[in-house]
Amino acid sequence: MPHLLPSNRRLVVQGNFFAVVFFSLWLLCAAVTNGQVSTNGEYDYFLGEVLVKFKSDASEAKISQLNGTIGGEIIDRFSGDPNLYHIKVPETLGVGTAVSFYTNEDSVALAEPNIAYSTQVVPNDPSFSRQYALQKIQAPGAWDTVVGDYGAVLADTDTGMDYNHADLAPNLWTNTGEICGNGIDDDGNGLVDDCFGWDFFNNNNNPMDTVGHGSHTAGIMGAAGNNGIGIAGVVWNAQVMPLKIGSGTSISNAAAIKAIDYAWSMGAWAINASWGGRGFSQLLKDAIDRAGSAGVLFIAAAGNNGTNNDTTPFYPANYNSPNVISVASTTSTDARASSSNYGARTVHLGAPGAAVFSTYRSGGYATMSGTSMAAPHVTGAVGLIWSYNPFLPSDTIKSIILNSVDSIPSLQGRTVSGGRLNLKKAIQNTPAP
Ligand code: CA
């Protein structure tokens, strides 16, 4: 397979499928951004947007004064960090200049561009046999013991999800604290009518997927099983929480941070991140660490550059946080996918990612490839293990997964565990509750 990502500079996916507790108040006066992406040679970022974390003793007046100096307007704030602001700055100023301006101010703790990550899918060969992946990881052997539990809440930070899809609708997460459509923030979490996820990219309550990527990853982890149609997810019964954080193949770091804080605060057990890029964000790592403190695992695609993450880091997979699991992509013959990143110290294990058949937008199905497809196999495994024994701490779940892999030559010396996910062994190695 050719290396279809043209360079590390421009992490935009190519291929047939991809020609592819403040919000409500702030929405009323939110500045508008154009959502356009540029690059600085190292990573992509959204034009005219910065993330600024002020020091906790910075007054509102000081913040207003600084924003006024540079022409900054507050777009939004963050439920997980009251000192963090999403700010629109004049595009003519340049994001680098704006970041420097804020960084040099005494009342600012940290300033970053709003990094644009990208979904980690590569084009594929649709003639591969369908759902080889579940056989490969010996899912049927695990399903003899457990098929899931609706208490398993798996957040999918992605392009949204086709929640009307016949194979996804049965496992759509619902917010039991919210009365849908009454225009009231019933549960007081800052979001009005967040009944079944949220669109953090456009700031509304409709996380519908019009791209396909998010529907695909959602189905891999949690398509309804044994329902007589379509496919089975790794976990048959679960609640998949769709959190939309991007448009097309571009993922907004600001939206990702908001989505991660939403996921753990609303009860998710695991968060899937089938996206990434070269840009380091302390603010994103901080959000992942907040999820970790809540006992939530964060499963990330290792990336599709075909490179070594030990020497060329890929984020968020490379954050050295104990709750992160970085996943490489393997094929039907247990080769490492040629496009998959690897790393003896930084990539934990492999999972099937090449030519994976799953649900798609508009009620469809599609075969797609990439570490985007590998990660949700592991996220589904987390859901299945926790369905079997919900009392295990997250670090134990991670250890069970890494200690249950099938060792395969293509991943030895290339991943921490040296192997590919085995669901049957993982359940066998899970103590009964
Ligand atoms: Ca709400």
Side-chain angles (χ1 to χ4, degrees):
M1 180 174 293
H3 188 177
L4 288 153
L5 292 173
S7 77
N8 292 344
R9 294 188 50 178
R10 184 74 188 163
L11 298 175
V12 173
V13 176
Q14 300 174 350
N16 292 336
F17 290 111
F18 284 82
V20 291
V21 188
F22 303 102
F23 294 108
S24 52
L25 288 175
W26 287 104
L27 275 176
L28 299 173
C29 56
V32 176
T33 62
N34 67 15
Q36 289 195 327
V37 171
S38 185
T39 185
N40 64 7
E42 184 186 358
Y43 55 81
D44 295 351
Y45 59 92
F46 286 88
L47 286 169
E49 297 182 40
V50 292
L51 307 184
V52 181
K53 181 181 170 108
F54 292 94
K55 290 179 181 167
S56 55
D57 59 359
S59 66
E60 292 291 329
K62 181 64 180 173
I63 291 169
S64 293
Q65 181 227 320
L66 287 178
N67 288 339
T69 301
I70 202 170
E73 296 176 66
I74 298 168
I75 298 171
D76 206 351
R77 292 178 68 178
F78 294 76
S79 64
D81 187 339
N83 301 313
L84 185 56
Y85 290 70
H86 186 184
I87 296 174
K88 174 178 168 57
V89 295
E91 290 182 16
T92 51
L93 182 68
V95 164
T97 303
V99 168
S100 295
F101 167 78
Y102 285 109
T103 300
N104 289 330
E105 290 294 330
D106 288 340
S107 53
V108 171
L110 195 58
E112 295 180 353
N114 183 20
I115 295 170
Y117 295 109
S118 65
T119 50
Q120 292 297 306
V121 57
V122 296
N124 53 71
D125 183 347
S127 67
F128 275 98
S129 60
R130 294 177 174 188
Q131 289 212 281
Y132 80 87
L134 294 176
Q135 299 295 331
K136 206 77 196 171
I137 65 172
Q138 294 193 285
W143 295 334
D144 287 344
T145 303
V146 57
V147 296
D149 187 293
Y150 289 113
V153 178
L154 305 176
D156 198 14
T157 60
D158 211 298
T159 61
M161 178 177 113
D162 177 9
Y163 47 77
N164 294 322
H165 197 294
D167 245 350
L168 297 175
N171 285 349
L172 175 63
W173 174 76
T174 52
N175 179 1
T176 55
E178 200 74 12
I179 300 167
C180 296
N182 68 351
I184 296 170
D185 177 17
D186 300 285
D187 63 359
N189 69 350
L191 302 182
V192 174
D193 289 339
D194 53 323
C195 297
F196 43 88
W198 193 261
D199 178 347
F200 287 96
F201 191 73
N202 298 300
N203 266 335
N204 64 54
N205 69 350
N206 185 8
M208 176 53 76
D209 175 26
T210 57
V211 176
H213 188 274
S215 300
H216 203 269
T217 57
I220 291 168
M221 67 176 86
N226 203 31
N227 65 340
I229 53 167
I231 62 160
V234 172
V235 55
W236 291 4
N237 309 320
Q239 294 187 62
V240 178
M241 177 193 287
L243 304 177
K244 186 170 176 176
I245 60 170
S247 166
T249 59
S250 289
I251 298 294
S252 160
N253 192 37
I257 291 167
K258 294 169 197 172
I260 290 164
D261 281 318
Y262 183 89
W264 69 259
S265 64
M266 296 301 288
W269 293 6
I271 299 170
N272 190 76
S274 287
W275 45 270
R278 296 296 187 204
F280 173 87
S281 166
Q282 183 63 47
L283 298 171
L284 176 58
K285 184 182 187 300
D286 288 348
I288 293 168
D289 287 341
R290 288 192 288 272
S293 296
V296 176
L297 288 169
F298 187 88
I299 298 91
N304 295 347
N305 313 92
T307 51
N308 186 346
N309 283 1
D310 289 359
T311 51
T312 311
F314 184 89
Y315 303 104
N318 264 62
Y319 292 124
N320 184 25
S321 300
N323 59 325
V324 169
I325 303 177
S326 171
V327 187
S329 169
T330 58
T331 72
S332 60
T333 58
D334 271 338
R336 179 175 56 85
S338 58
S339 59
S340 177
N341 293 0
Y342 51 91
R345 290 185 291 106
T346 53
V347 177
H348 293 98
L349 79 167
V356 173
F357 186 69
S358 183
T359 45
Y360 200 58
R361 69 183 179 205
S362 307
Y365 294 87
T367 303
M368 298 175 75
S369 295
T371 50
S372 275
M373 284 66 242
H377 281 101
V378 176
T379 306
V382 170
L384 197 69
I385 296 167
W386 251 326
S387 294
Y388 184 52
N389 186 343
F391 302 106
L392 295 173
S394 56
D395 57 345
T396 302
I397 302 284
K398 180 175 175 178
S399 295
I400 288 171
I401 288 173
L402 298 188
N403 292 331
S404 304
V405 297
D406 286 329
S407 290
I408 59 175
S410 64
L411 293 180
Q412 285 163 10
R414 299 260 174 173
T415 54
V416 173
S417 68
R420 183 250 310 127
L421 175 70
N422 184 307
L423 199 61
K424 179 182 178 182
K425 286 189 198 170
I427 294 298
Q428 287 172 339
N429 290 334
T430 302

